[in-house]
């Protein structure tokens, strides 16, 4: 059984709105007391006087009627009683509104606070984290599960205050009457049906928890598959996958529908089960009350009190079912929040001397993505400050892994990487990455203006600097031809631009960042022939006086690069200029023949 204590860590998100939450609880208390105690007392004490049975009214009420109203129950006393009833219901209604408003306020705040916490966690995690979790799992953890957790932290907390108080108020009235009325005492036997309510609630809860785990898994798979299909329109249409994608989507929806209905069916059994047992208890109370001579007013008060006693039990039973449903989402959310950062910030960071020269040294570096799966092994190499180096090798040889270790997208398994003689693990990630401009093979553009997309390279860049960077990247001409120039908003992922245009925007970012270390992962691969030469010249200018690492899939990319490092199966199999490598490495010769 999922214990409420598992939700206790999430109550910290209520701290900034604790007073609003407290007001909501206070209004809930007023609502509970006015419901569970006020109405039954009025029915038991006032109604007998109003309906011609003053002898059954409490002594204190008889004194009031006789002293203040001259035993006239049809005049002022009747008016006061008639006004008292809407007054009590008004208090009950206002307290319900206050309770609902402040609880909603607190609930929305908690949802957004948890969403922010999860989003910050995701943004702080290294690249390996995104290989462990599917996109659908992370989207659900950010957008879906916090709202469900709020259901416990706020909504259920509200009910866990209101409903027990309502039950306590009603039970207090019943216990009090049991001591002063023999017929009431006998009728209370009907409450013995309450323990019987536990059994259906428990069995249903176990079933619902199992279905909840299945629903979470199916929902995350559906999210991932949907995101994947929407982000791959070209491949789907090129290979006529539309029908199969729809079939797979419909199949997953049917599985979710089936599991949801099974869970819903069992959840819906909780209330009828409680109501049936409650009706049995009330029926027994009615029988025993009539047999012992209970009056009409007393019986009305008994029924109202029993109703306000059983209603909280019914709602608390529903809470038990909801807790079971939330067990799987809570576990998923906790797994994300508890994920260990495999690329931690240094406890005692070192500051780099300015200006940064950009010398890079690998010392016996080994790296693996997964335990036992080596990607780089015993890599030792020195790249001088301001030197341009080409990284070549077949796919999977380790080139991308090599450059990804420099900005600490991943951490090495052993050895050390130094920049200007400082181990990069001693640098703050922000300080380290400020020194590196990275242009990937498939750059990501955001759903923002062209200017904002280039400004990624330097947050405080002026419009003049942005225009200059675009010009250096040979992007100025096509940007100015866009409908709103630099203020044109790009579509999601920059799909409104061609591949070459997207690449030139990314190159403009690198120009704008003006970092001492430059990483180009085949940065010209998507350029058309017309602009390729211009960009090559621009990259030569950009690389001047910078430490530049160029991953080359096309050998002509390295025509202006003297030194090359050849990777083969995760090791450096050779380095030198093109001519040296041709004479030393058979693998390099084969690579040149393949890629030209």
């Amino acid at each position: 059984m999922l214990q409420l204590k598992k939700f206790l860590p999430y109550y910290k998100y209520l701290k900034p709105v604790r007073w609003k939450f407290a007001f909501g609880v206070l209004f809930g208390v007023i609502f509970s007391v006015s419901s569970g105690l006020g109405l039954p007392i009025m029915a038991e004490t006032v109604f007998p006087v109003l309906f011609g049975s003053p002898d059954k009214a409490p002594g204190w009420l008889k004194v009031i009627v006789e002293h203040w109203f001259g035993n006239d129950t049809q005049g002022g006393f009747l008016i006061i009683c008639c006004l008292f009833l809407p007054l009590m219901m008004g208090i009950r209604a206002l307290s319900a509104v206050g309770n609902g408003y402040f609880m909603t306020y607190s609930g929305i705040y908690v949802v957004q606070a948890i969403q922010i916490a999860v989003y910050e966690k995701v943004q702080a995690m290294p690249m390996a984290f995104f290989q462990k979790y599917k996109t659908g799992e992370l989207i659900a953890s950010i957008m879906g599960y916090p709202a469900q957790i709020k259901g416990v932290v706020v909504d259920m907390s509200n009910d866990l205050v209101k409903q027990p108080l309502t039950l306590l108020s009603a039970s207090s009235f019943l216990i009090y009457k049991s001591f002063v009325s023999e017929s009431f005492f006998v009728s209370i036997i009907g409450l013995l049906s309450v323990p019987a309510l536990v059994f259906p609630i428990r069995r249903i809860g176990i079933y619902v928890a199992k279905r909840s785990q299945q629903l979470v898994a199916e929902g995350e798979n559906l999210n991932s598959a949907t995101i994947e299909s929407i982000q791959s329109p070209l491949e789907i249409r090129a290979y006529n996958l539309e029908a199969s994608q729809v079939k797979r989507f419909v199949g997953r929806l049917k599985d979710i529908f089936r599991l949801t209905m099974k869970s819903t069916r069992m959840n819906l059994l909780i209330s009828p089960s409680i109501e049936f047992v409650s009706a049995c208890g009330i029926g027994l109370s009615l029988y025993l009350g009539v047999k012992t001579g209970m009056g009409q007013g007393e019986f009305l008060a008994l029924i109202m009190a029993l109703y306000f006693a059983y209603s909280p039990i019914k709602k608390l039973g529903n809470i038990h079912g909801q807790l079971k449903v939330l067990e799987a989402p809570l576990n998923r959310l906790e797994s994300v929040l508890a994920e260990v950062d495999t690329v931690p910030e240094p406890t005692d960071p070192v500051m780099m001397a300015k200006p940064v020269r950009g010398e890079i040294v690998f010392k016996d570096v080994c790296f693996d993505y997964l335990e036992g799966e080596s990607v780089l092994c015993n890599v030792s190499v020195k790249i001088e400050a301001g030197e341009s180096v080409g990284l070549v090798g077949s796919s999977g040889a380790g080139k991308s892994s090599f450059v990804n270790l420099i900005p600490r997208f991943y951490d090495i398994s052993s050895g050390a990487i130094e920049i200007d003689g400082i181990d990069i693990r001693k640098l703050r990630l922000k300080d380290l990455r400020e020194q590196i401009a990275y242009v990937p093979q498939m750059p990501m553009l955001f759903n923002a203006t062209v200017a904002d997309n280039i400004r990624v390279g330097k947050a405080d860049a002026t419009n003049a600097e942005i225009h200059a960077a675009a010009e250096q990247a040979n992007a100025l001409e096509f940007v100015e031809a866009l409908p709103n120039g630099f203020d044109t908003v790009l579509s999601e992922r920059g799909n409104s631009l061609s591949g070459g245009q997207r690449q030139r925007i990314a190159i403009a970012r690198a120009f704008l960042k003006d970092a001492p270390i430059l990483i180009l992962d085949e940065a010209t691969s998507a350029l058309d022939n017309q602009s390729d030469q211009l960009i090559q010249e621009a990259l030569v200018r950009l690389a001047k006086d910078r430490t530049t690492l160029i991953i080359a899939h096309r050998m002509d990319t390295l025509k202006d690069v003297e030194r090359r490092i050849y990777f083969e199966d995760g090791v450096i199999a050779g380095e030198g200029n093109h001519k040296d490598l041709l004479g030393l490495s058979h693998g390099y010769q084969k690579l040149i023949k393949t890629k030209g």
Side-chain angles (χ1 to χ4, degrees), residues 386-565:
E387 182 182 13
S388 291
V389 176
L391 309 179
V392 297
S394 59
S395 179
K399 305 182 299 297
S400 294
S401 298
F402 180 85
V403 297
N404 285 338
L405 294 175
I406 299 172
R408 288 190 73 197
F409 293 155
Y410 303 89
D411 251 353
I412 60 178
S413 304
S414 62
I417 301 174
E418 296 179 352
I419 293 180
D420 291 356
I422 301 174
D423 191 319
I424 60 174
R425 289 170 293 189
K426 296 181 180 180
L427 301 171
R428 291 193 308 168
L429 289 174
K430 183 175 183 296
D431 293 340
L432 170 64
R433 292 170 184 171
E434 279 181 349
Q435 313 308 320
I436 303 169
Y438 195 107
V439 182
Q441 185 176 2
M442 298 294 291
M444 168 64 74
L445 300 187
F446 300 100
N447 184 201
T449 66
V450 174
D452 286 338
N453 268 282
I454 297 176
R455 192 176 278 114
V456 167
K458 182 181 177 183
D460 58 350
T462 64
N463 289 336
E465 290 174 321
I466 292 172
H467 282 235
E471 184 174 14
Q472 288 175 302
N474 198 34
L476 185 60
E477 183 177 350
F478 83 78
V479 170
E480 290 183 334
L482 294 174
N484 296 308
F486 282 88
D487 294 325
T488 301
V489 177
L490 302 179
S491 63
E492 186 179 12
R493 302 174 65 88
N495 289 332
S496 55
L497 300 179
S498 69
Q501 290 171 335
R502 290 198 299 269
Q503 199 75 333
R504 279 177 274 173
I505 294 293
I507 293 171
R509 291 172 177 171
F511 274 105
L512 188 63
K513 190 170 186 178
D514 194 23
I517 298 173
L518 177 64
I519 296 175
L520 304 174
D521 187 352
E522 193 53 87
T524 62
S525 62
L527 296 175
D528 53 78
N529 292 331
Q530 182 180 0
S531 60
D532 183 66
Q533 182 60 38
L534 295 174
I535 297 304
Q536 288 283 7
E537 293 173 0
L539 289 177
V540 170
R541 292 195 301 271
L542 177 63
K544 186 179 180 181
D545 299 325
R546 289 180 176 83
T547 305
T548 306
L549 304 176
I550 306 171
I551 296 178
H553 299 285
R554 293 164 42 193
M555 292 299 107
D556 60 348
T557 304
L558 302 178
K559 61 185 178 181
D560 296 312
V561 177
E562 179 65 18
R563 183 184 175 193
R564 304 183 183 190
I565 300 176

Side-chain angles (χ1 to χ4, degrees), residues 348-362:
D348 189 16
V350 174
M351 297 299 293
M352 300 186 73
K354 299 296 177 70
V356 175
R357 295 184 298 110
E359 178 190 83
I360 302 173
V361 178
F362 278 62

Side-chain angles (χ1 to χ4, degrees), residues 299-313:
F299 182 72
L300 179 60
L302 171 65
I303 293 300
M304 292 182 71
L306 284 175
Y307 169 78
F308 285 119
Y310 279 118
S311 182
I313 295 174

Side-chain angles (χ1 to χ4, degrees), residues 8-78:
L8 291 180
Y10 297 94
Y11 279 84
K12 65 183 179 183
Y13 298 108
L14 273 174
K15 188 175 181 180
V17 291
R18 57 187 179 277
W19 290 113
K20 289 183 173 62
F21 181 72
F23 276 120
V25 172
L26 177 61
F27 279 117
V29 170
I30 296 173
F31 175 87
S32 301
V33 173
S34 62
S35 301
L37 196 59
L39 293 177
I41 287 178
M42 184 174 181
E44 196 269 338
T45 58
V46 177
F47 284 9
V49 177
L50 296 179
F51 290 100
S53 302
D55 55 310
K56 295 184 179 181
W60 60 269
L61 185 60
K62 293 177 183 179
V63 172
I64 292 176
V65 173
E66 180 180 358
H67 182 74
W68 293 97
F69 299 98
N71 285 325
D72 181 11
T73 59
Q74 302 300 312
F77 181 74
L78 176 61

Side-chain angles (χ1 to χ4, degrees), residues 56-134:
K56 295 184 179 181
W60 60 269
L61 185 60
K62 293 177 183 179
V63 172
I64 292 176
V65 173
E66 180 180 358
H67 182 74
W68 293 97
F69 299 98
N71 285 325
D72 181 11
T73 59
Q74 302 300 312
F77 181 74
L78 176 61
I79 294 174
I80 291 175
C81 290
C82 291
L83 291 175
F84 183 76
L85 182 61
L87 175 64
M88 181 168 293
M89 293 305 294
I91 293 173
R92 187 172 182 270
L94 289 175
S95 61
V97 171
N99 174 258
Y101 175 81
F102 286 112
M103 286 302 175
T104 300
Y105 185 101
S106 302
I108 293 174
Y109 184 90
V110 166
V111 169
Q112 294 186 348
I114 297 177
Q115 286 177 320
I116 291 170
V118 178
Y119 191 75
E120 287 179 340
K121 178 72 174 185
V122 170
Q123 291 299 324
M125 296 304 289
M127 296 298 293
F129 172 82
F130 297 95
Q131 295 173 327
K132 180 177 180 180
Y133 289 93
K134 298 177 182 177

Side-chain angles (χ1 to χ4, degrees), residues 185-477:
F185 177 74
V186 175
S187 298
I188 295 303
I189 295 175
L191 286 178
L192 296 178
S193 60
V194 171
L197 302 175
V198 173
F199 298 103
I201 293 174
R202 180 175 177 81
R203 296 300 304 172
I204 292 171
I206 294 173
Y207 180 88
V208 168
K210 182 179 179 181
R211 295 302 176 209
S212 173
Q213 292 175 350
Q214 294 175 317
L215 274 172
V216 166
E218 289 293 337
E220 291 175 347
N221 288 336
L222 177 64
N223 281 344
S224 296
T226 303
I227 292 169
E228 180 183 80
S229 66
I230 291 174
Q231 291 181 344
S232 309
L234 179 63
E235 290 80 2
I236 290 173
R237 282 148 187 81
Y239 290 95
N240 292 321
L241 300 177
E242 296 92 338
S244 63
Q245 289 291 315
V246 171
K247 183 178 179 181
R248 185 172 69 159
F249 182 77
V250 171
R252 291 187 184 278
L253 282 180
K254 286 182 177 179
D255 289 339
I256 290 175
F257 180 83
R258 176 177 53 82
L259 290 170
T260 301
M261 293 314 300
K262 285 184 177 181
S263 180
T264 300
R265 182 180 62 204
M266 295 306 293
N267 260 324
L268 290 174
L269 284 174
I270 294 178
S271 291
S273 300
I274 294 174
E275 289 173 358
F276 176 76
V277 178
S278 301
C280 292
I282 292 175
L284 180 60
S285 298
L286 173 62
Y287 175 81
L288 295 174
V290 172
K291 283 293 187 179
T292 54
M294 178 180 287
Q296 183 179 2
E298 281 189 322
F299 182 72
L300 179 60
L302 171 65
I303 293 300
M304 292 182 71
L306 284 175
Y307 169 78
F308 285 119
Y310 279 118
S311 182
I313 295 174
K314 175 181 172 181
K315 291 182 179 179
L316 291 172
N318 286 330
I319 288 175
H320 178 270
Q322 292 174 47
L323 288 175
K324 285 296 183 182
V325 170
L326 287 171
E327 187 169 355
L330 177 65
N331 290 338
R332 171 64 72 202
L333 193 63
E334 285 183 341
S335 71
V336 173
L337 288 173
E339 191 70 39
V340 177
D341 188 350
T342 56
V343 183
E345 291 279 8
T347 54
D348 189 16
V350 174
M351 297 299 293
M352 300 186 73
K354 299 296 177 70
V356 175
R357 295 184 298 110
E359 178 190 83
I360 302 173
V361 178
F362 278 62
K363 295 182 177 179
D364 295 319
V365 170
C366 291
F367 169 67
D368 54 78
Y369 289 108
L370 300 173
E371 188 174 350
E373 186 178 329
S374 179
V375 179
L376 293 174
C377 184
N378 298 322
V379 172
S380 295
V381 67
K382 181 178 181 180
I383 301 171
E384 300 290 346
E387 182 182 13
S388 291
V389 176
L391 309 179
V392 297
S394 59
S395 179
K399 305 182 299 297
S400 294
S401 298
F402 180 85
V403 297
N404 285 338
L405 294 175
I406 299 172
R408 288 190 73 197
F409 293 155
Y410 303 89
D411 251 353
I412 60 178
S413 304
S414 62
I417 301 174
E418 296 179 352
I419 293 180
D420 291 356
I422 301 174
D423 191 319
I424 60 174
R425 289 170 293 189
K426 296 181 180 180
L427 301 171
R428 291 193 308 168
L429 289 174
K430 183 175 183 296
D431 293 340
L432 170 64
R433 292 170 184 171
E434 279 181 349
Q435 313 308 320
I436 303 169
Y438 195 107
V439 182
Q441 185 176 2
M442 298 294 291
M444 168 64 74
L445 300 187
F446 300 100
N447 184 201
T449 66
V450 174
D452 286 338
N453 268 282
I454 297 176
R455 192 176 278 114
V456 167
K458 182 181 177 183
D460 58 350
T462 64
N463 289 336
E465 290 174 321
I466 292 172
H467 282 235
E471 184 174 14
Q472 288 175 302
N474 198 34
L476 185 60
E477 183 177 350

